[in-house]
Amino acid sequence: MSTSDYWQKVAEATRNLPDHKLLDVVALIDRLPDEGRPLHVLEAMRGRLTRLRPPRRLTIQRLLFLPVEDLFDPPDAYRRKIGRLSRAVIRVCWRTLVERGDAALIESTARRLKGLETHEPAELMPVAAPLWRSAAATLADAHAIAERDRMAGVKMFGRDDDLLRQVGDIAIIFGIGEPIMTAKFELPAKPIQSISAGQAEMLTRMIAQLGSSQLVLAKTFVLVLAARMARPGDLLEVLDSARFPCQVTERDTMVREVEASIIANLVREAQALRSTAKAPADPVAATETARRLVEGLTSLRSSMKSLSEPATMAHIQSARREIAGYIMGNVIDRAERTMASLIGADAGSAGSSIETLSEPQLEATEALALSLRHCAGMGEAVGIQREVAAKLRVVCDSLARSIDALNLTPEAQERRLYGTLRLIEMIEGPEAAEALWLKGLERLGFGPAM
Amino acid sequence: MDQRKETDYVPGSFAERGLTVPFTTPIVAQARVRLDGNDRIEFILPSLSGGKGRYVMPWSTVQSLATTTLHDRALYDRMSPGVIETPAALRRAALQVASKGLAGPKAARAAQAALAADENSQVSANFLLVARLLSLVGMSTSDILDDERRGEVSRTRVRAALGRVADSLTLPKADLYHRVEALSVLISPLGLADAPQPGRLRDLARTLAAFTAEVQNWATSTVADVAQLGSFVGQVANATQAMVQAEIDRFDAALAQPAAIFKAWEGRAGAMKASVARTELLLDGWEYLLGLWRVAAERDNAEKQSAIADLFRLLPMIPKSEGRFASAKEYVDLGNVQRRWVRANEDWRSGRLDFDQVHKIEAIKAQLR
């Protein structure tokens, strides 16, 4: 078997591996020298790696693309004209840098990178910043040549104008690599749920400073960081508070472009759920996906200029419908079946009763219950609150009935009582759980104070 | 609603400070509990915005302010003036509630282990105390173990030897046995200095010392103004740790001469009890905060900044009765910094029960001893 056949088989085999085994494979691959690393195997795992986010070895390429990474989409999910980048452009940019850039700097940076003991900002930034600056200059130069000289442009980047646009965007991002990475280091990990007033002040200062040089720099900075936010609307508020030395119309145009890009990307992701639904995700992961999109959409303020446009509103409505369908199919229905098997174990159907579950199984069941709670929270935002509430009512009623099992030992009864109460608390709330708790204590004779 | 804001930032005494309650509802997590003038239970909550002042309220108001978890309702159900009298009694009540699984399966396992460890620490303290007494009449622990190995009945020899100790102290044997038992229970939270497994409070004091160094180091290497909060947290931790260490040194010195304690039982046992109680009060509230930092320390800088803001909000201030460490002005100035690092859009501040935050608290609870 040739080496490439071997790696092809590895890539195929990883599809069915559980998460922890997949991470072991990634760690092994990351230990291989750069020239021997089977990148296509990693590419085959990309979707799951994005979700699992294991710590990865920092190679020279990964270091270079750190400021850009949040805008990348897999080639098959990439959509034009919304300010995103296809992962396929990495190869093009890297080739351009190797052919036209400062080879000595690339080599010395790779050497210094291997010598780093940590990847703390204070150690990393002095190594990376010269590389980003040099890469920005090289790509900007190649981009300018391609725009001036069509033939030369085709030779370097092919005939696709969108690829040229992406190279231009990446050149700009490399040029502001330092402020982008400074902000990323100071902000919470992706997805950023919320930012403090102090962090908002820092971002306002940085945006204003970049915008005072060129508005496009502020726009690019915001687009990169917005891709890290669970609620990009919060960042748009920060952008709104920044002042720039330009005409109001210029500023408004820039803000509108950023808004349009963020909305279009959320809509794209929501529409992509339909294809994901064919290969259903784990309900807990599916809930997280849906929550991220719903949070993103609800963070868009009515004050946003783009939201007054009927076409944009229609897109958002369609995105909401997609998310609603995804929630019902991938979370509610499946979680309902899992809970039913848990409850139905008494009646002899397949599954385990709650008091017999191991700690990991109990945690997984609680995670599922929490997903249902999140779905109830999202119901209103996507217009399915009635359907979700009805389903949850059925699940909770069945759970409540399961507490009354009479054929258990007192210890098992107690374990079932508390295990079930936790699920009901998560799904329906503590009040419902408390009422059942008091009733259960009385009936089982545990006394009011347990 | 009795929602008065206290004008001062530092409590006058431990009684005024109250005891920390390990609630899992985010808005009341690490609230403090005490008895009011009419011996009714009242809760002290740090300011919700992270700013100055404290809220003092009964449970009914807590319930109207926020939806609390079933764990917290069950824990409140166990609270009585007796339970909230000492950190140890309150901790035991909280462990019993968590052991049922109301704070999740991991916290249940941790609580069951902690309850078992409490029992073991009493047995261990008893063994080491007896060993110290036996050494007074020339019998060592290795003698006892040798007897065990030879299959001889060591208990008879031990009783005889303890009888000789009682005679030398001019105490009735039964009194000595009773006092050894009572002292073992009394000192078990701190344990003996030479115990193979350090006592819970001794271990906590060591962790606090390590945390102090770590947070001070972080504060000096951080540029953002949140570093001021880290520095202040480090100062309070350092002062608390110094007081705790001094108390432990006194405790160990007294325990080095157990015969003197058993002879002058009334006064010395009271002093040992007071020493353990003061250590417990000084460390009250720190265990959760150390867990909070341990989680943040493994994450990025933004998480550390946010954790420091939380630590500052929940910081167990040393009562004035124990010494003075910060002026009210300093505290107000720092409160202004702290408000800037409170993150917006967190559901728990609205009073809604945010289960993602509850799980974070439960995860810390699952790590506690």
Side-chain angles (χ1 to χ4, degrees):
Chain A
M1 188 191 293
S2 70
T3 311
S4 70
D5 285 347
Y6 171 76
W7 285 123
Q8 190 56 43
K9 280 205 172 302
V10 172
E12 283 162 19
T14 58
R15 285 184 217 286
N16 300 320
L17 284 181
D19 287 349
H20 69 282
K21 292 272 182 201
L22 183 91
L23 296 180
D24 288 344
V25 174
V26 173
L28 284 172
I29 291 176
D30 269 352
R31 274 191 229 156
L32 295 171
D34 284 350
E35 56 277 12
R37 292 171 73 238
L39 296 178
H40 60 287
V41 177
L42 293 172
E43 204 52 53
M45 305 172 185
R46 178 76 54 199
R48 288 172 72 189
L49 293 183
T50 308
R51 176 171 60 81
L52 296 168
R53 304 178 65 79
R56 301 291 309 278
R57 194 180 74 175
L58 194 55
T59 60
I60 179 81
Q61 275 198 39
R62 190 164 293 124
L63 176 75
L64 175 68
F65 288 99
L66 275 182
V68 197
E69 62 181 359
D70 298 298
L71 290 181
F72 282 132
D73 289 323
D76 53 349
Y78 171 72
R79 226 180 74 190
R80 293 160 186 249
K81 295 179 181 173
I82 58 169
R84 301 284 297 181
L85 302 166
S86 165
R87 213 161 251 292
V89 79
I90 293 176
R91 196 166 29 85
V92 177
C93 289
W94 182 251
R95 195 188 59 218
T96 308
L97 294 174
V98 169
E99 286 172 2
R100 308 175 64 93
D102 185 342
L105 177 70
I106 294 175
E107 200 180 314
S108 70
T109 307
R111 224 176 15 252
R112 288 177 70 192
L113 187 60
K114 279 183 185 163
L116 289 184
E117 285 186 5
T118 72
H119 294 153
E120 291 295 314
E123 279 206 56
L124 200 62
M125 293 290 261
V127 176
L131 183 68
W132 292 328
R133 280 195 292 270
S134 165
T138 305
L139 287 187
D141 184 46
H143 183 263
I145 291 172
E147 289 217 309
R148 266 200 321 271
D149 180 348
R150 182 73 186 157
M151 286 302 287
V154 170
K155 209 173 162 190
M156 279 189 288
F157 303 118
R159 294 182 183 281
D160 187 351
D161 285 346
D162 185 65
L163 186 67
L164 191 59
R165 189 277 304 167
Q166 292 183 60
V167 171
D169 284 358
I170 291 177
I172 295 171
I173 296 171
F174 282 154
I176 55 171
E178 282 174 85
I180 286 175
M181 290 309 293
T182 303
K184 280 169 70 167
F185 282 131
E186 289 297 324
L187 292 173
K190 183 181 176 183
I192 300 169
Q193 297 297 335
S194 59
I195 54 175
S196 66
Q199 286 161 341
E201 278 172 26
M202 173 194 78
L203 290 176
T204 310
R205 265 198 316 274
M206 292 175 100
I207 293 168
Q209 200 173 352
L210 289 168
S212 68
S213 161
Q214 287 178 62
L215 271 185
V216 70
L217 301 185
K219 174 189 162 186
T220 308
F221 180 82
V222 172
L223 279 177
V224 171
L225 292 185
R228 297 180 68 78
M229 304 279 294
R231 301 172 51 83
D234 295 350
L235 192 62
L236 291 174
E237 282 203 348
V238 173
L239 174 64
D240 208 37
S241 64
R243 295 287 163 260
F244 305 105
C246 65
Q247 298 290 323
V248 175
T249 49
E250 276 181 84
R251 182 185 183 284
D252 284 353
T253 306
M254 185 270 279
V255 171
R256 194 178 281 258
E257 283 172 3
V258 173
E259 284 175 6
S261 183
I262 288 172
I263 294 170
N265 189 47
L266 285 168
V267 170
R268 173 190 67 91
E269 286 192 66
Q271 286 167 346
L273 290 176
R274 190 174 297 179
S275 58
T276 323
K278 286 174 193 157
D282 148 53
V284 176
T287 306
E288 284 313 303
T289 303
R291 274 182 91 194
R292 190 171 51 76
L293 291 172
V294 171
E295 279 274 293
L297 288 171
T298 50
S299 75
L300 306 173
R301 305 286 192 279
S302 53
S303 58
M304 281 175 55
K305 294 173 180 65
S306 310
L307 291 187
S308 56
E309 292 162 12
T312 307
M313 282 311 294
H315 283 314
I316 290 177
Q317 281 307 330
S318 123
R320 287 191 173 128
R321 279 193 298 276
E322 294 290 348
I323 298 169
Y326 183 75
I327 289 173
M328 291 304 289
N330 281 277
V331 187
I332 301 285
D333 290 347
R334 295 177 66 202
E336 191 187 15
R337 283 199 296 275
T338 307
M339 291 287 177
S341 78
L342 195 68
I343 299 156
D346 277 347
S349 62
S352 308
S353 301
I354 195 157
E355 71 278 5
T356 63
L357 296 182
S358 66
E359 187 178 300
Q361 288 172 321
L362 209 47
E363 283 189 314
T365 311
E366 288 196 354
L368 198 58
L370 191 55
S371 293
L372 290 176
R373 182 185 181 86
H374 289 320
C375 289
M378 288 186 280
E380 193 178 345
V382 293
I384 50 170
Q385 67 268 45
R386 277 193 195 164
E387 292 91 326
V388 175
K391 291 266 187 184
L392 299 195
R393 185 71 259 150
V394 171
V395 170
C396 283
D397 284 349
S398 308
L399 281 169
R401 278 195 301 275
S402 76
I403 294 176
D404 296 335
L406 296 170
N407 53 347
L408 298 173
T409 63
E411 293 76 23
Q413 271 187 334
E414 195 186 30
R415 278 203 301 279
R416 177 176 289 197
L417 172 68
Y418 287 107
T420 309
L421 288 176
R422 274 279 285 187
L423 300 181
I424 292 174
E425 180 184 23
M426 284 180 189
I427 300 170
E428 204 173 5
E431 279 83 9
E434 187 183 28
L436 287 166
W437 174 56
L438 295 171
K439 199 175 124 205
L441 290 181
E442 197 179 321
R443 199 178 64 79
L444 300 174
F446 294 135
M450 294 193 295
Chain B
M1 163 170 146
D2 175 19
Q3 197 191 69
R4 60 184 187 273
K5 276 196 172 181
E6 294 188 351
T7 51
D8 208 341
Y9 302 91
V10 184
S13 64
F14 282 123
E16 189 187 326
R17 188 172 85 169
L19 302 182
T20 311
V21 191
F23 284 139
T24 56
T25 306
I27 206 166
V28 294
Q30 298 302 99
R32 288 181 170 270
V33 64
R34 67 184 182 195
L35 291 178
D36 70 6
N38 296 312
D39 280 351
R40 288 174 308 199
I41 294 174
E42 66 181 11
F43 292 87
I44 309 162
L45 269 57
S47 166
L48 306 183
S49 65
K52 65 181 180 178
R54 299 279 186 274
Y55 295 95
V56 181
M57 60 187 76
W59 179 250
S60 57
T61 309
V62 172
Q63 290 279 61
S64 63
L65 184 72
T67 306
T68 53
T69 59
L70 182 57
H71 168 276
D72 295 355
R73 293 164 196 238
L75 180 53
Y76 175 73
D77 201 53
R78 294 184 72 92
M79 283 187 196
S80 63
V83 167
I84 65 163
E85 198 178 341
T86 64
L90 185 51
R91 173 177 171 274
R92 188 168 175 77
L95 288 176
Q96 283 167 342
V97 171
S99 72
K100 302 291 180 191
L102 289 179
K106 281 207 169 88
R109 182 162 45 82
Q112 287 154 10
L115 287 167
D118 285 355
E119 302 285 331
N120 289 339
S121 67
Q122 288 177 14
V123 175
S124 161
N126 186 278
F127 178 81
L128 291 171
L129 269 181
V130 169
R132 283 191 184 186
L133 287 176
L134 293 178
S135 71
L136 297 176
V137 289
M139 190 175 181
S140 66
T141 45
S142 56
D143 291 338
I144 304 171
L145 294 173
D146 283 349
D147 280 358
E148 295 279 359
R149 270 195 291 274
R150 284 197 298 270
E152 292 172 13
V153 183
S154 59
R155 192 170 291 176
T156 317
R157 275 190 73 196
V158 171
R159 279 192 176 274
L162 278 177
R164 291 202 297 281
V165 175
D167 291 344
S168 71
L169 297 175
T170 61
L171 277 174
K173 288 184 187 70
D175 279 10
L176 180 65
Y177 298 154
H178 170 75
R179 287 175 190 184
V180 169
E181 288 295 322
L183 190 62
S184 304
V185 174
L186 199 152
I187 65 169
S188 65
L190 259 173
L192 282 90
D194 56 350
Q197 179 75 31
R200 182 175 60 80
L201 295 176
R202 201 179 287 269
D203 195 36
L204 187 55
R206 284 178 196 169
T207 315
L208 180 61
F211 162 82
T212 305
E214 205 179 311
V215 85
Q216 284 175 335
N217 189 29
W218 178 83
T220 49
S221 62
T222 299
V223 185
D225 58 0
V226 72
Q228 294 171 49
L229 301 182
S231 174
F232 185 79
V233 169
Q235 277 176 47
V236 176
N238 194 38
T240 305
Q241 205 276 328
M243 287 177 154
V244 167
Q245 194 51 53
E247 198 61 63
I248 291 176
D249 290 345
R250 278 195 291 276
F251 174 88
D252 287 344
L255 217 51
Q257 296 173 325
I261 299 174
F262 294 123
K263 199 161 169 56
W265 178 250
E266 297 304 328
R268 298 280 176 96
M272 296 302 286
K273 189 177 179 183
S275 194
V276 174
R278 183 164 182 267
T279 308
E280 242 175 0
L281 285 166
L282 281 166
L283 289 172
D284 182 43
W286 277 104
E287 195 176 14
Y288 175 83
L289 300 190
L290 300 180
L292 186 70
W293 178 253
R294 195 161 45 237
V295 171
E298 289 167 7
R299 305 226 171 120
D300 53 37
N301 198 39
E303 285 297 325
K304 292 190 189 96
Q305 290 172 345
S306 175
I308 281 291
D310 274 346
L311 285 168
F312 179 80
R313 192 174 70 89
L314 302 171
L315 201 57
M317 293 300 290
I318 301 169
K320 283 178 196 162
S321 59
E322 307 297 311
R324 200 169 191 90
F325 295 94
S327 65
K329 183 182 179 309
E330 188 181 359
Y331 202 70
V332 173
D333 291 345
L334 289 167
N336 291 334
V337 175
Q338 198 263 358
R339 272 197 297 282
R340 289 164 28 75
W341 293 91
V342 173
R343 290 190 198 158
N345 297 323
E346 288 191 350
D347 258 3
W348 66 267
R349 284 175 208 284
S350 67
R352 277 178 58 193
L353 188 55
D354 181 344
F355 251 98
D356 291 325
Q357 295 293 331
V358 172
H359 276 188
K360 285 183 185 171
I361 294 168
E362 290 177 350
I364 295 171
K365 220 174 162 60
Q367 294 179 4
L368 307 183
R369 272 189 71 196

